[in-house]
Amino acid sequence: MTGQENKRPNELIEHAPVTLRRFRSEDVDALFRAVTESLDELRTWMPWAADYSRASAEEYLAGSVKDWDEGTAYNYAIVTGDALVGSIGLMTRCGPGGLEIGYWVRSAYTGRGLATAATEALVGQAFGLPGVDWVEIVHDELNVASGQIPRKLGFTEAGRRPLDSPPPSGTGTGVVWRLTR
């Protein structure tokens, strides 16, 4: 199923050098391994990584299935070769007319343009959906690496706002990047 015919993003997206595919419950071991191998870096910026466990991976995957079915978030495994190297999602939490993209990449795979390629692919999916006029990316102002991605893809800084869950190494002020159709 491509997804676009029923007003959802595609479940499988090829965008070299990555493939994005909808998360499945059988991804639990690969997801758990990717996160635990990257915990030192993820805990810096991702509050959810603080007490991460196999149960956390199971809960995330179950929530991903539920969110997809409800149309509130579309979470993907970022895959290159046979490796699950990260996660990226489209979320409806920024209000009507827009979607937010969030991402992380396994530590051993950073600096290769994988998050940029994955984000570019999801921007294309977002703008292929009815009623989507803009896409946002929000990150802590001290997370410079996350800010490079929207900048490379032509997003502009649209403002700053307090983050709902401030990261341990950040200020709690989120930089909001926006790309308009």
Side-chain angles (χ1 to χ4, degrees):
M1 169 181 356
T2 63
Q4 293 285 319
E5 64 269 1
N6 55 0
K7 311 302 184 230
R8 294 178 185 245
N10 295 334
E11 293 184 14
L12 181 68
I13 306 162
E14 300 283 347
H15 191 83
V18 297
T19 298
L20 308 181
R21 64 167 176 71
R22 181 180 173 179
F23 270 115
R24 308 180 289 240
S25 59
E26 57 266 24
D27 289 325
V28 67
D29 291 329
L31 177 62
F32 179 67
R33 191 168 37 259
V35 172
T36 55
E37 289 176 5
S38 305
L39 276 176
D40 287 344
E41 292 80 11
L42 290 174
R43 282 186 180 131
T44 303
W45 303 114
M46 306 293 187
W48 56 261
D51 297 315
Y52 194 79
S53 65
R54 191 170 197 290
S56 302
E58 292 168 348
E59 290 170 20
Y60 174 77
L61 294 174
S64 291
V65 169
K66 180 180 179 279
D67 291 345
W68 191 291
D69 291 344
E70 293 175 353
T72 57
Y74 305 99
N75 294 311
Y76 294 86
I78 303 172
V79 178
T80 187
D82 290 332
L84 189 152
V85 300
S87 176
I88 190 164
L90 280 172
M91 299 155 283
T92 61
R93 64 185 176 202
C94 58
L99 290 171
E100 183 178 335
I101 294 178
Y103 44 78
W104 64 268
V105 173
R106 193 176 190 161
S107 299
Y109 291 85
T110 60
R112 301 181 189 186
L114 303 177
T116 302
T119 302
E120 184 175 48
L122 278 194
V123 166
Q125 290 291 305
F127 287 149
L129 298 173
V132 176
D133 297 316
W134 45 272
V135 176
E136 284 186 350
I137 294 172
V138 181
H139 64 85
D140 188 273
E141 63 187 346
L142 296 182
N143 189 344
V144 176
S146 279
Q148 292 173 358
I149 293 165
R151 188 176 286 113
K152 287 178 192 172
L153 295 175
F155 284 67
T156 56
E157 188 175 330
R160 296 184 180 231
R161 65 171 172 80
L163 295 172
D164 294 335
S165 299
S169 296
T171 65
T173 297
V175 179
V176 179
W177 296 89
R178 185 175 277 192
L179 183 65
T180 304
R181 183 191 302 259

